[in-house]
Amino acid sequence: MFTRRQALMGVAAAGLLAALPPMTAMAGEIDLSALPRERIALVAPPFVHAHEQVSTTGPRIIEYTMTIVEKTVVIDDEGTTLQGMTFDGSIPGPMMVVHQGDYVELTLVNPETNSLPHNIDFHAATGGLGGGALTLINPGEETTLRFKATRSGTFVYHCAPEGAMIPWHVVSGMSGTIMVLPRDGLKDETGRPLRYDKVFYVGENDFYVPRDEEGNFKSYESPGDSYADTLPVMRGLIPTHVVFNGAKGSLTGDNAMTSKVGETVLIVHSQANRDTRPHLIGGHGDYVWEEGKFDNPPMKDLETWFIRGGSAGAALYTFLQPGIYAYVNHNLIEAVELGATAHFVVEGEWNDDLMKQVAAPGPIPVN
Amino acid sequence: MPWHVAETAAGGVVAVALSIAALAAHGSDRDTGAVAAPPTVVIEATRLAFPEPGEFLVEGRAIPAPVRDVEIPAFAIMTHQVGLADYGRCVAAGRCMAADTQARAAAADVPVTGVSYFDALAYAAWLGEATGATWRLPSALEAAAAAGERFSAETFSDAADDPKNPAVAWIRRYREQAASVRAPEPAARPFGSYGVNSLGVADFGGNVWEWTSTCYVRVGFEADRVTERSRTENCRVHVLEGRHRAIMSDFVRDGRSGGCAVGTPPDNLGFRLVQEPDRPGLVGRILGRIAAVLDR
Ligand SMILES: [Cu+2]
């Protein structure tokens, strides 16, 4: 059992870390006062805040605030609950978009109402455990971190407090993505510009929910209550749920993503903990940055692409045919049984040249 | 194996015949059988505007099921769905496979759920032996008659979809499905929780969908939507009636694995049975002789 006392010990350790001299003070004096600042409000996935694809300015300081919210979340259509830990209230956390050379200045808030210390590790950042070493905050604290976005690409961020807390916080929902665009935008393998009409952020999560003796999922009052039971399920490495956007079915039905024939969509896919293999049923990846890093030429015409656990990738596709598209993790057991399925509803004109039903299903003719 | 429905169905029929034979052979002391016959409701002969279950196509495009005006002779059907405790007796007798139910074994007053079409056949065969009567699944038509005012069939919508663009119908139905989503109610609830319809049939249209003996069909029509061009029957798949119609492979026990044209999949799969009128004495006597021979 994870007791209140142990939770408090966690807090004490956090206090120790916080007592270290702030590393920012040791850095060479950088005068960023001349740089313009922009404060951007984050939006919940699968949507992404408005941004320029090609920057019309020089480097800037982009300010974000994220509030960590511990809360009970429903993760499937049977009402199974998870003691969720979230960046800004959503699983995954919101996607940030900046340009290469910009500075990201994040204020991270851990309200008093939470029970655990948290921090943030940006895979896009250099040094200080990705910022994790400088951002561990107790309930009732906040901190501000600035890092320079030196490399372009899609990068995961996640909570990484300490030891066994790290995977537990990540599989409780604490991960998200930052996309660092090249200042002159995305390009194909020959350097010609690529643009998108829409961007969707699909964060994939693996959850490990304990069951009771009868095989039913258990529910808990608080994250601490769930810890002891959850750890052995995590160690089994077989998730009970593999979902997009925090819950089975959260990107289907009324919440399905939408597009039109002729529209180009950028799909950013993250998995902070475990490998996955996105596939658009009936479509393709026209240009895919599997590893998500835009300084590498994109791969073309992919059927399925591989997202390494602990990374985010990006796929660009122009819809050519109307209909309902399933966007899945093409381990189809995980897609259908465990929840990793999203839908696109795409309107437009049907192209008989690409596909036509020549003979409708009917009895086999007898001669 | 699930695919061998014909063989299994035939096996069920044989089992019923033998049970009657056994009854006849053992004389009148078992007239009422070892198990009391479950209560039934007599559904009087009636006429029904009945949409045939299945898939109906005109030039490759799905259309709503044609509605036929059908006459149904009187029949007797179980007042309640088969209960978990009832089904448990068949399991204890070694004649039924334990159900994949979520309900606790001790819950005696709930319908059995987590049962396939094959499980329903096995239970009907065993119940025949145990009660000395003949029990079978209702047809979809009989289920509709027994459901009375609660019958809903398919919620298939028709519209002037673009014949050049199949995606128009796909997207329209997808949106309808999204709009009709309801919260699942997986937990088995005690008999009577969903009340009794005007015919005295309990709990129809609750959170248990009921297997029928009706096979899935795919029918191709001429443009007039009346003249049949082709008909394919698939009896590895059967129709369930309930809050809305569902079509499931015979071996499926979990309704949430899908099978609905529109709407949230069935929460649970269960069944209730029709009791056949008593067999003529001659048949009983013949079967009795067969049983007597088999007994030696
Ligand atoms: Cu955390």
Side-chain angles (χ1 to χ4, degrees):
Chain A
M1 213 48 217
F2 189 74
T3 61
R4 195 76 199 158
R5 174 174 302 199
Q6 281 168 299
L8 288 172
M9 285 167 68
V11 171
L16 252 177
L17 259 178
L20 292 170
M23 281 173 121
T24 40
M26 298 186 287
E29 288 304 314
I30 301 283
D31 183 11
L32 300 178
S33 59
L35 286 187
R37 288 178 166 266
E38 189 180 1
R39 176 150 202 89
I40 294 180
L42 292 163
V43 301
F47 305 108
V48 179
H49 66 73
H51 57 270
E52 289 183 331
Q53 292 181 44
V54 174
S55 175
T56 53
T57 68
R60 297 175 303 162
I61 300 170
I62 309 293
E63 299 174 2
Y64 295 108
T65 297
M66 286 204 298
T67 301
I68 294 160
V69 184
E70 296 171 9
K71 61 177 181 180
T72 304
V73 292
V74 176
I75 57 170
D76 63 25
D77 51 0
E78 290 161 50
T80 305
T81 59
L82 173 82
Q83 284 303 312
M85 308 179 202
T86 72
F87 285 111
D88 235 31
S90 65
I91 299 177
M95 188 163 114
M96 305 166 182
V97 184
V98 302
H99 285 91
Q100 196 170 4
D102 285 345
Y103 294 82
V104 176
E105 197 169 287
L106 171 73
T107 298
L108 191 63
V109 182
N110 190 358
E112 189 98 58
T113 44
N114 288 342
S115 61
L116 298 164
H118 301 281
N119 67 356
I120 190 163
D121 165 0
F122 281 99
H123 290 188
T126 305
L129 305 179
L134 301 175
T135 52
L136 190 64
I137 44 174
N138 295 304
E141 295 179 332
E142 69 169 53
T143 183
T144 299
L145 175 79
R146 190 188 71 227
F147 74 89
K148 188 172 186 178
T150 55
R151 295 155 204 273
S152 69
T154 49
F155 295 85
V156 158
Y157 65 77
H158 63 93
C159 185
E162 52 171 351
M165 295 294 106
I166 299 172
W168 181 45
H169 283 229
V170 170
V171 301
S172 298
M174 291 193 83
S175 66
T177 291
I178 181 168
M179 179 162 75
V180 182
L181 288 168
R183 291 216 86 80
D184 54 353
L186 300 178
K187 291 173 281 297
D188 72 7
E189 75 286 0
T190 66
R192 281 184 314 201
L194 293 171
R195 295 186 60 83
Y196 45 89
D197 299 304
K198 270 184 177 173
V199 53
F200 289 105
Y201 169 38
V202 179
E204 179 174 329
N205 285 80
D206 44 328
F207 295 135
Y208 302 81
V209 183
R211 297 177 192 266
D212 65 17
E213 309 74 47
E214 291 182 343
N216 299 315
F217 289 120
K218 293 175 77 170
S219 57
Y220 298 90
E221 292 289 306
S222 69
D225 287 339
S226 75
Y227 178 69
D229 284 354
T230 304
L231 199 56
V233 186
M234 286 164 54
R235 285 183 179 158
L237 298 177
I238 300 175
T240 55
H241 297 74
V242 178
V243 302
F244 296 154
N245 210 42
K248 185 176 186 177
S250 68
L251 296 177
T252 65
D254 285 339
N255 299 317
M257 298 174 281
T258 59
S259 188
K260 293 191 287 256
V261 170
E263 203 168 58
T264 300
V265 172
L266 184 72
I267 308 167
V268 176
H269 194 114
S270 72
Q271 225 301 9
N273 193 60
R274 194 169 173 274
D275 298 342
T276 183
R277 51 207 69 70
H279 173 92
L280 181 65
I281 301 179
H284 299 92
D286 289 339
Y287 297 91
V288 181
W289 295 267
E290 246 192 4
E291 309 93 335
K293 306 307 170 277
F294 299 130
D295 241 9
N296 304 308
M299 286 184 278
K300 290 165 74 174
D301 301 330
L302 297 197
E303 58 179 315
T304 298
W305 40 104
F306 187 69
I307 306 295
R308 296 141 183 80
S311 76
L316 195 77
Y317 183 59
T318 303
F319 283 102
L320 302 175
Q321 195 81 295
I324 310 295
Y325 289 73
Y327 176 82
V328 299
N329 167 344
H330 209 289
N331 178 325
L332 295 170
I333 302 164
E334 297 181 5
V336 177
E337 297 292 333
L338 301 190
T341 298
H343 291 148
F344 279 93
V345 178
V346 180
E347 293 186 315
E349 287 305 307
W350 182 263
N351 182 342
D352 271 344
D353 187 41
L354 287 171
M355 183 176 283
K356 180 162 178 64
Q357 185 179 52
V358 177
I364 301 165
V366 282
N367 294 319
Chain B
M1 282 303 291
W3 337 109
H4 301 148
V5 63
E7 289 90 321
T8 310
V13 169
V14 168
V16 170
L18 283 177
S19 73
I20 292 163
L23 176 68
H26 287 99
S28 62
D29 59 314
R30 288 193 55 194
D31 268 353
T32 53
V35 170
T40 55
V41 176
V42 173
I43 309 297
E44 299 299 342
T46 184
R47 285 188 84 83
L48 205 62
F50 182 66
E52 190 183 355
E55 195 181 357
F56 304 90
L57 304 171
V58 171
E59 284 156 4
R61 285 180 300 114
I63 60 163
V67 177
R68 291 181 295 131
D69 193 34
V70 204
E71 249 176 281
I72 310 154
F75 63 97
I77 191 165
M78 289 179 177
T79 308
H80 301 283
Q81 292 149 346
V82 172
L84 183 59
D86 304 326
Y87 188 83
R89 281 190 276 279
C90 180
V91 175
R95 297 288 300 279
C96 289
M97 273 168 52
D100 286 345
T101 180
Q102 302 285 322
R104 290 158 195 271
D109 60 341
V110 299
V112 66
T113 58
V115 285
S116 70
Y117 172 78
F118 297 125
D119 295 324
L121 292 188
Y123 181 81
W126 170 81
L127 188 66
E129 272 181 52
T131 61
T134 303
W135 298 90
R136 61 167 175 83
L137 281 173
S139 66
L141 179 61
E142 287 168 332
E149 74 280 8
R150 294 193 183 183
F151 179 63
S152 69
E154 213 111 21
T155 45
F156 184 99
S157 72
D158 197 20
D161 293 323
D162 183 354
K164 298 256 181 286
N165 187 345
V168 173
W170 296 338
I171 292 170
R172 181 173 56 75
R173 290 210 198 95
Y174 184 81
R175 295 217 165 108
E176 286 170 3
Q177 178 161 353
S180 71
V181 162
R182 62 183 169 79
E185 311 166 18
R189 300 181 61 186
F191 289 127
S193 293
Y194 293 95
V196 169
N197 71 3
S198 60
L199 303 170
V201 176
D203 297 326
F204 186 89
N207 69 348
V208 179
W209 271 247
E210 303 181 16
W211 285 103
T212 74
S213 61
T214 298
C215 301
Y216 163 89
V217 291
R218 172 135 65 188
V219 179
F221 284 108
E222 301 292 348
D224 65 4
R225 296 191 171 200
V226 176
T227 315
E228 284 191 19
R229 175 186 286 180
S230 66
R231 174 175 283 256
T232 319
E233 192 175 54
N234 181 356
C235 282
R236 296 177 177 87
V237 176
H238 280 83
V239 173
L240 295 102
E241 299 287 2
R243 201 170 296 182
H244 55 75
R245 184 175 276 164
I247 292 173
M248 296 269 168
S249 291
D250 293 346
F251 56 85
V252 168
R253 292 176 132 197
D254 178 1
R256 285 164 298 181
S257 56
C260 282
V262 172
T264 306
D267 294 305
N268 293 295
L269 308 186
F271 62 102
R272 77 179 84 215
L273 298 173
V274 167
Q275 182 177 14
E276 287 282 12
D278 288 340
R279 295 229 167 191
L282 178 65
V283 174
R285 283 202 297 278
I286 293 167
L287 288 171
R289 298 237 173 82
I290 297 168
V293 169
L294 290 176
D295 264 1
R296 284 175 201 144

PDB file of all heavy atoms in Angstrom, chain B residues 248-263:
ATOM      1  N   MET B 248     -25.353 -11.865 -35.113  1.00  0.00           N
ATOM      2  CA  MET B 248     -24.116 -12.339 -34.488  1.00  0.00           C
ATOM      3  C   MET B 248     -23.748 -13.717 -35.022  1.00  0.00           C
ATOM      4  O   MET B 248     -24.621 -14.539 -35.289  1.00  0.00           O
ATOM      5  CB  MET B 248     -24.307 -12.499 -32.976  1.00  0.00           C
ATOM      6  CG  MET B 248     -24.598 -11.228 -32.228  1.00  0.00           C
ATOM      7  SD  MET B 248     -23.086 -10.479 -31.653  1.00  0.00           S
ATOM      8  CE  MET B 248     -23.733  -8.877 -31.152  1.00  0.00           C
ATOM      9  N   SER B 249     -22.436 -13.968 -35.086  1.00  0.00           N
ATOM     10  CA  SER B 249     -21.962 -15.314 -35.367  1.00  0.00           C
ATOM     11  C   SER B 249     -22.383 -16.236 -34.232  1.00  0.00           C
ATOM     12  O   SER B 249     -22.430 -15.830 -33.074  1.00  0.00           O
ATOM     13  CB  SER B 249     -20.437 -15.316 -35.489  1.00  0.00           C
ATOM     14  OG  SER B 249     -20.059 -14.635 -36.659  1.00  0.00           O
ATOM     15  N   ASP B 250     -22.685 -17.489 -34.593  1.00  0.00           N
ATOM     16  CA  ASP B 250     -23.303 -18.399 -33.634  1.00  0.00           C
ATOM     17  C   ASP B 250     -22.465 -18.663 -32.388  1.00  0.00           C
ATOM     18  O   ASP B 250     -22.999 -18.991 -31.341  1.00  0.00           O
ATOM     19  CB  ASP B 250     -23.594 -19.736 -34.327  1.00  0.00           C
ATOM     20  CG  ASP B 250     -24.667 -19.591 -35.396  1.00  0.00           C
ATOM     21  OD1 ASP B 250     -25.341 -18.543 -35.404  1.00  0.00           O
ATOM     22  OD2 ASP B 250     -24.822 -20.516 -36.201  1.00  0.00           O
ATOM     23  N   PHE B 251     -21.145 -18.566 -32.520  1.00  0.00           N
ATOM     24  CA  PHE B 251     -20.285 -18.894 -31.384  1.00  0.00           C
ATOM     25  C   PHE B 251     -20.042 -17.702 -30.461  1.00  0.00           C
ATOM     26  O   PHE B 251     -19.415 -17.845 -29.427  1.00  0.00           O
ATOM     27  CB  PHE B 251     -18.936 -19.435 -31.884  1.00  0.00           C
ATOM     28  CG  PHE B 251     -18.239 -18.492 -32.823  1.00  0.00           C
ATOM     29  CD1 PHE B 251     -17.439 -17.475 -32.325  1.00  0.00           C
ATOM     30  CD2 PHE B 251     -18.399 -18.605 -34.192  1.00  0.00           C
ATOM     31  CE1 PHE B 251     -16.800 -16.596 -33.191  1.00  0.00           C
ATOM     32  CE2 PHE B 251     -17.759 -17.730 -35.062  1.00  0.00           C
ATOM     33  CZ  PHE B 251     -16.957 -16.723 -34.561  1.00  0.00           C
ATOM     34  N   VAL B 252     -20.541 -16.515 -30.835  1.00  0.00           N
ATOM     35  CA  VAL B 252     -20.256 -15.316 -30.056  1.00  0.00           C
ATOM     36  C   VAL B 252     -21.052 -15.342 -28.757  1.00  0.00           C
ATOM     37  O   VAL B 252     -22.233 -15.686 -28.743  1.00  0.00           O
ATOM     38  CB  VAL B 252     -20.592 -14.048 -30.879  1.00  0.00           C
ATOM     39  CG1 VAL B 252     -20.582 -12.811 -30.008  1.00  0.00           C
ATOM     40  CG2 VAL B 252     -19.610 -13.903 -32.024  1.00  0.00           C
ATOM     41  N   ARG B 253     -20.388 -15.008 -27.654  1.00  0.00           N
ATOM     42  CA  ARG B 253     -21.064 -14.952 -26.360  1.00  0.00           C
ATOM     43  C   ARG B 253     -21.100 -13.542 -25.793  1.00  0.00           C
ATOM     44  O   ARG B 253     -21.843 -13.270 -24.868  1.00  0.00           O
ATOM     45  CB  ARG B 253     -20.334 -15.866 -25.367  1.00  0.00           C
ATOM     46  CG  ARG B 253     -20.468 -17.349 -25.701  1.00  0.00           C
ATOM     47  CD  ARG B 253     -19.659 -18.173 -24.741  1.00  0.00           C
ATOM     48  NE  ARG B 253     -20.432 -19.281 -24.202  1.00  0.00           N
ATOM     49  CZ  ARG B 253     -20.083 -19.967 -23.115  1.00  0.00           C
ATOM     50  NH1 ARG B 253     -19.005 -19.651 -22.447  1.00  0.00           N
ATOM     51  NH2 ARG B 253     -20.840 -20.959 -22.688  1.00  0.00           N
ATOM     52  N   ASP B 254     -20.231 -12.674 -26.347  1.00  0.00           N
ATOM     53  CA  ASP B 254     -20.126 -11.312 -25.831  1.00  0.00           C
ATOM     54  C   ASP B 254     -20.685 -10.359 -26.878  1.00  0.00           C
ATOM     55  O   ASP B 254     -20.100 -10.177 -27.943  1.00  0.00           O
ATOM     56  CB  ASP B 254     -18.659 -10.992 -25.537  1.00  0.00           C
ATOM     57  CG  ASP B 254     -18.461  -9.572 -25.033  1.00  0.00           C
ATOM     58  OD1 ASP B 254     -19.477  -8.843 -24.888  1.00  0.00           O
ATOM     59  OD2 ASP B 254     -17.309  -9.195 -24.785  1.00  0.00           O
ATOM     60  N   GLY B 255     -21.832  -9.761 -26.580  1.00  0.00           N
ATOM     61  CA  GLY B 255     -22.497  -8.892 -27.541  1.00  0.00           C
ATOM     62  C   GLY B 255     -21.693  -7.672 -27.909  1.00  0.00           C
ATOM     63  O   GLY B 255     -21.870  -7.109 -28.978  1.00  0.00           O
ATOM     64  N   ARG B 256     -20.804  -7.268 -27.023  1.00  0.00           N
ATOM     65  CA  ARG B 256     -20.062  -6.038 -27.288  1.00  0.00           C
ATOM     66  C   ARG B 256     -19.033  -6.223 -28.391  1.00  0.00           C
ATOM     67  O   ARG B 256     -18.407  -5.282 -28.826  1.00  0.00           O
ATOM     68  CB  ARG B 256     -19.410  -5.531 -26.008  1.00  0.00           C
ATOM     69  CG  ARG B 256     -20.434  -4.888 -25.093  1.00  0.00           C
ATOM     70  CD  ARG B 256     -19.890  -4.734 -23.701  1.00  0.00           C
ATOM     71  NE  ARG B 256     -19.574  -6.038 -23.131  1.00  0.00           N
ATOM     72  CZ  ARG B 256     -19.092  -6.208 -21.923  1.00  0.00           C
ATOM     73  NH1 ARG B 256     -18.855  -5.183 -21.171  1.00  0.00           N
ATOM     74  NH2 ARG B 256     -18.836  -7.416 -21.466  1.00  0.00           N
ATOM     75  N   SER B 257     -18.868  -7.472 -28.840  1.00  0.00           N
ATOM     76  CA  SER B 257     -17.948  -7.671 -29.958  1.00  0.00           C
ATOM     77  C   SER B 257     -18.567  -7.190 -31.269  1.00  0.00           C
ATOM     78  O   SER B 257     -17.982  -7.325 -32.314  1.00  0.00           O
ATOM     79  CB  SER B 257     -17.548  -9.136 -30.057  1.00  0.00           C
ATOM     80  OG  SER B 257     -18.690  -9.941 -30.158  1.00  0.00           O
ATOM     81  N   GLY B 258     -19.746  -6.627 -31.191  1.00  0.00           N
ATOM     82  CA  GLY B 258     -20.287  -5.948 -32.366  1.00  0.00           C
ATOM     83  C   GLY B 258     -21.473  -6.654 -32.978  1.00  0.00           C
ATOM     84  O   GLY B 258     -22.056  -7.529 -32.368  1.00  0.00           O
ATOM     85  N   GLY B 259     -21.820  -6.254 -34.172  1.00  0.00           N
ATOM     86  CA  GLY B 259     -22.872  -6.943 -34.881  1.00  0.00           C
ATOM     87  C   GLY B 259     -24.118  -6.120 -35.116  1.00  0.00           C
ATOM     88  O   GLY B 259     -25.079  -6.631 -35.663  1.00  0.00           O
ATOM     89  N   CYS B 260     -24.113  -4.854 -34.743  1.00  0.00           N
ATOM     90  CA  CYS B 260     -25.289  -4.033 -34.985  1.00  0.00           C
ATOM     91  C   CYS B 260     -25.081  -3.169 -36.202  1.00  0.00           C
ATOM     92  O   CYS B 260     -24.002  -2.662 -36.438  1.00  0.00           O
ATOM     93  CB  CYS B 260     -25.531  -3.105 -33.802  1.00  0.00           C
ATOM     94  SG  CYS B 260     -26.276  -3.942 -32.450  1.00  0.00           S
ATOM     95  N   ALA B 261     -26.137  -2.984 -36.965  1.00  0.00           N
ATOM     96  CA  ALA B 261     -26.057  -2.050 -38.080  1.00  0.00           C
ATOM     97  C   ALA B 261     -25.875  -0.640 -37.530  1.00  0.00           C
ATOM     98  O   ALA B 261     -25.040   0.110 -37.996  1.00  0.00           O
ATOM     99  CB  ALA B 261     -27.315  -2.131 -38.919  1.00  0.00           C
ATOM    100  N   VAL B 262     -26.652  -0.299 -36.564  1.00  0.00           N
ATOM    101  CA  VAL B 262     -26.623   1.038 -35.988  1.00  0.00           C
ATOM    102  C   VAL B 262     -26.732   0.911 -34.483  1.00  0.00           C
ATOM    103  O   VAL B 262     -27.425   0.037 -33.982  1.00  0.00           O
ATOM    104  CB  VAL B 262     -27.789   1.897 -36.524  1.00  0.00           C
ATOM    105  CG1 VAL B 262     -27.871   3.222 -35.776  1.00  0.00           C
ATOM    106  CG2 VAL B 262     -27.629   2.154 -38.010  1.00  0.00           C
ATOM    107  N   GLY B 263     -26.066   1.765 -33.776  1.00  0.00           N
ATOM    108  CA  GLY B 263     -26.242   1.828 -32.337  1.00  0.00           C
ATOM    109  C   GLY B 263     -25.184   1.079 -31.578  1.00  0.00           C
ATOM    110  O   GLY B 263     -24.382   0.352 -32.134  1.00  0.00           O
TER     111      GLY B 263
END
